Amino acid sequence: MKRKLAVGAVLSASAVLASAIQVSAGIAQAAPSPVGQSAAAQHRGEILALADSQAPAAGRALGVSGQEKLVVKDAIVDADGTRHLRYERTFAGLPVLGGDLVVHQDAKGNVKSQDRAVQGSIAPASLTPKLSADQAAAKATGSVQATVGIARDKDEVALASVGSTGAPKLVVWAASGTPRLAYQTVVEGVRADGTPSSQRLVTDAATGEVLSTHEEIQTANAAGTGNGVFVGSVPLTTNYTGSTYELKDATRGGQYTVDLKNRKNGSGTLYTDADNAWGTGSISSGQSAAVDAQFGAAATWDYYKNSFGRLGIRGDGVGAYSRVHYGSGYVNAFWSDQCFCMTYGDGASNTHPLTELDVAGHEMTHGVTANTAGLNYSGESGGLNEATSDIFGTMVEFSANLAKDTPDYLIGELININGNGTPLRYMDKPSKDGGSADSWSSSVGSLDVHYSSGVANHFFYLLAEGSGAKTINGVSYNSPTSNGSTLTGIGRDKAAQIWYRALTVYMTSTTNYKGARTATLSAAADLYGNGSAEYNAVAAAWSGVNVN
């Protein structure tokens, strides 16, 4: 089945069953020892097997009905044996969107507590759809088609074309309100600026009402040696074939970088070099952007490994790959779970590549979030999703500590995507970008996620650095609080440890700002003690952005 739309060229679209459940596992620890990838993979398998074996007992303890089943997604075991088992749920064999939960057990398997994306029953009133799969596909495609040529705000670009093939799959939608039988369809296309689009829509199986839409292509708003456009002179781990060097790093999961040569499709051509000296630092050398991308992937890998013991985006020791020189004049960069890859455009006139380090860390963190809490990319959970990427993109930048890209709390400050030298976002006072929220209000959830993220970005800055005027690495900041309080920071490393544990242990797909406060307080109690200075700082920082 293929539907042609009057709006332009038709691209393929496929229906997926709730998207494949991806699993990862890790050990929560503040300063992990280096672990061999094979040993880590074996350990990961053992933890996931443990979580799978505990599913029946956890289900009984939680009162899971006979038609429900827990499917392991992730698992973390603390040093004292405490278990945090993350599950998706199915009902009558159908994936339940919003059915995810985390079960917290002691070392003996006794359930201590649990965090659910939704409370109450996940059973829909009926398991018989009133609409056919063809009707559901038409409804989903029509909904996307209605947005063609429309951009809702300056951070969003309109679709230039969409199309649909294949039949949607039945799911249970439980993420908001009464559980309903629904269809899930992925509609693919190309945005007006050349970015590929893959929108996952959930539609009511009785009425065709659009219940949720989620863009799966996440964008930024926007021992060889390398010389990159933004990273400067850096070391690179490469692969020697016996006759040439490849821009491929076997020590970091085999991650590599390819040249798309201004195309928008394909897996690209792997970069090779005769002397293992890559790039000139000049944009005119195509290898320079490739150096930025390869180093960015390595720096992100190293940050997650050294800080949290996480090997790769999925935690499975497999490296993602990077694609540079995407399209012509493409002013963006994006992460895709589908190709498990990062993609960078060359910017205006193909002279402003989007390969800055915090952009790389930001985009790849979307993959980490997808494989842990799975924060829905809309409303307050969408703001938390975006903020998580800003937080860890910034931490990657501080961790790398490059002379040419001085670490700061500014997002995308070097790529000049606004054309006036200003960054995309400011963490100390997010409203300086003209749209982001400094603090929570009841209207925050209706903002675009790049603006609602300001609340969490501001919280993180206050927790790490405190309030008021200060200069860090030559950059001036002046961070206010919504309640007029004066705050002292606990340091960015402790703040990041708290956020990561909250993300991987306590947050679920529907976590909102109130839930994020609870999750980070639980994480702070785990790491530093209930009532500790760090715990109290978390509470005070949230109050400083009006999350009480």
Side-chain angles (χ1 to χ4, degrees):
M1 174 185 65
K2 179 177 285 188
R3 293 178 177 79
K4 286 194 174 183
L5 304 178
V7 294
V10 175
L11 281 81
S12 66
S14 58
V16 297
L17 184 61
S19 54
I21 294 176
Q22 298 170 316
V23 295
S24 63
I27 298 296
Q29 49 187 336
S33 300
V35 179
Q37 290 177 26
S38 60
Q42 180 180 353
H43 197 198
R44 171 177 176 268
E46 293 170 353
I47 295 173
L48 293 177
L50 170 66
D52 190 50
S53 70
Q54 289 294 309
R60 289 192 296 270
L62 299 178
V64 170
S65 75
Q67 288 186 284
E68 298 178 42
K69 182 180 179 182
L70 300 184
V71 181
V72 65
K73 178 182 180 181
D74 192 14
I76 290 175
V77 179
D78 294 338
D80 65 358
T82 301
R83 307 164 181 174
H84 310 279
L85 313 178
R86 187 180 293 275
Y87 297 101
E88 305 280 10
R89 274 191 284 180
T90 61
F91 184 89
L94 300 178
V96 180
L97 308 184
D100 55 299
L101 52 86
V102 186
V103 179
H104 307 285
Q105 296 179 337
D106 63 22
K108 295 181 179 180
N110 299 310
V111 176
K112 299 167 58 181
S113 63
Q114 41 94 9
D115 292 288
R116 299 187 189 219
V118 295
Q119 301 295 326
S121 172
I122 60 170
S126 171
L127 289 173
T128 303
K130 293 183 179 180
L131 297 180
S132 68
D134 282 357
Q135 289 171 320
K139 290 277 189 181
T141 304
S143 174
V144 176
Q145 182 181 5
T147 69
V148 171
I150 301 172
R152 290 193 290 267
D153 59 61
K154 72 177 185 180
D155 285 323
E156 183 177 347
V157 285
L159 286 173
S161 61
V162 294
S164 177
T165 62
K169 302 296 183 181
L170 285 171
V171 299
V172 175
W173 172 255
S176 60
T178 304
R180 314 190 209 183
L181 185 68
Y183 284 104
Q184 186 179 68
T185 308
V186 171
V187 179
E188 296 185 348
V190 177
R191 303 185 203 182
D193 71 343
T195 305
S197 172
S198 180
Q199 292 196 33
R200 177 158 50 96
L201 290 92
V202 180
T203 53
D204 191 297
T207 66
E209 175 191 357
V210 176
L211 304 175
S212 172
T213 179
H214 172 69
E215 175 57 72
E216 296 191 325
I217 304 296
Q218 309 292 353
T219 64
N221 290 309
T225 58
N227 195 349
V229 177
F230 297 113
V231 300
S233 297
V234 291
L236 295 173
T237 302
T238 58
N239 180 58
Y240 185 58
T241 66
S243 59
T244 190
Y245 293 94
E246 298 175 329
L247 202 52
K248 186 173 185 178
D249 187 349
T251 69
R252 296 178 175 90
Q255 57 192 25
Y256 59 94
T257 299
V258 301
D259 183 3
L260 282 179
K261 300 179 180 179
N262 301 119
R263 298 189 299 269
K264 292 182 178 179
N265 298 303
S267 55
T269 302
L270 178 66
Y271 274 96
T272 60
D273 190 81
D275 62 3
N276 210 20
W278 306 80
T280 64
S282 170
I283 293 170
S284 61
S285 168
Q287 282 191 357
S288 298
V291 170
D292 286 340
Q294 185 72 3
F295 183 84
T300 302
W301 176 285
D302 289 352
Y303 174 72
Y304 278 103
K305 176 184 176 182
N306 296 334
S307 299
F308 313 118
R310 186 179 190 88
L311 288 181
I313 288 169
R314 290 191 298 249
D316 59 0
V318 177
Y321 75 99
S322 301
R323 307 188 303 175
V324 297
H325 306 306
Y326 171 87
S328 180
Y330 178 63
V331 189
N332 224 319
F334 60 88
W335 165 263
S336 172
D337 281 321
Q338 294 174 326
C339 68
F340 200 59
C341 71
M342 263 302 301
T343 302
Y344 301 91
D346 285 325
S349 305
N350 290 325
T351 57
H352 296 80
L354 277 287
T355 50
E356 188 182 351
L357 183 57
D358 62 355
V359 173
H362 172 107
E363 295 301 339
M364 284 181 273
T365 293
H366 279 304
V368 174
T369 299
N371 284 278
T372 54
L375 289 159
N376 291 334
Y377 203 65
S378 62
E380 292 188 18
S381 61
L384 289 165
N385 188 317
E386 268 297 309
T388 297
S389 284
D390 280 350
I391 287 166
F392 289 122
T394 295
M395 291 304 298
V396 167
E397 188 173 276
F398 271 102
S399 176
N401 196 26
L402 298 176
K404 193 172 180 180
D405 186 358
T406 305
D408 52 45
Y409 289 97
L410 309 175
I411 308 300
E413 71 280 0
L414 296 182
I415 56 177
N416 194 25
I417 202 168
N418 295 324
N420 59 4
T422 59
L424 287 173
R425 288 181 289 282
Y426 305 78
M427 297 185 76
D428 65 318
K429 190 177 181 182
S431 62
K432 286 195 290 187
D433 68 7
S436 292
D438 287 336
S439 58
W440 183 88
S441 70
S442 59
S443 62
V444 159
S446 64
L447 296 176
D448 178 85
V449 295
H450 296 91
Y451 296 150
S452 60
S453 63
V455 180
N457 279 343
H458 193 193
F459 158 80
F460 184 84
Y461 177 88
L462 289 171
L463 180 61
E465 303 292 349
S467 60
K470 56 179 59 68
T471 300
I472 303 169
N473 288 345
V475 179
S476 297
Y477 304 96
N478 193 356
S479 191
T481 57
S482 64
N483 57 4
S485 61
T486 299
L487 303 180
T488 300
I490 63 173
R492 68 185 70 93
D493 290 334
K494 284 185 176 181
Q497 288 288 338
I498 290 169
W499 194 270
Y500 180 81
R501 184 163 178 84
L503 177 76
T504 57
V505 173
Y506 294 109
M507 291 185 186
T508 68
S509 60
T510 62
T511 296
N512 57 15
Y513 274 113
K514 182 178 179 180
R517 178 186 173 105
T518 300
T520 50
L521 284 171
S522 295
D526 291 344
L527 293 170
Y528 306 108
N530 197 344
S532 63
E534 293 83 0
Y535 181 95
N536 293 335
V538 169
W542 278 123
S543 295
V545 295
N546 198 34
V547 180
N548 299 297

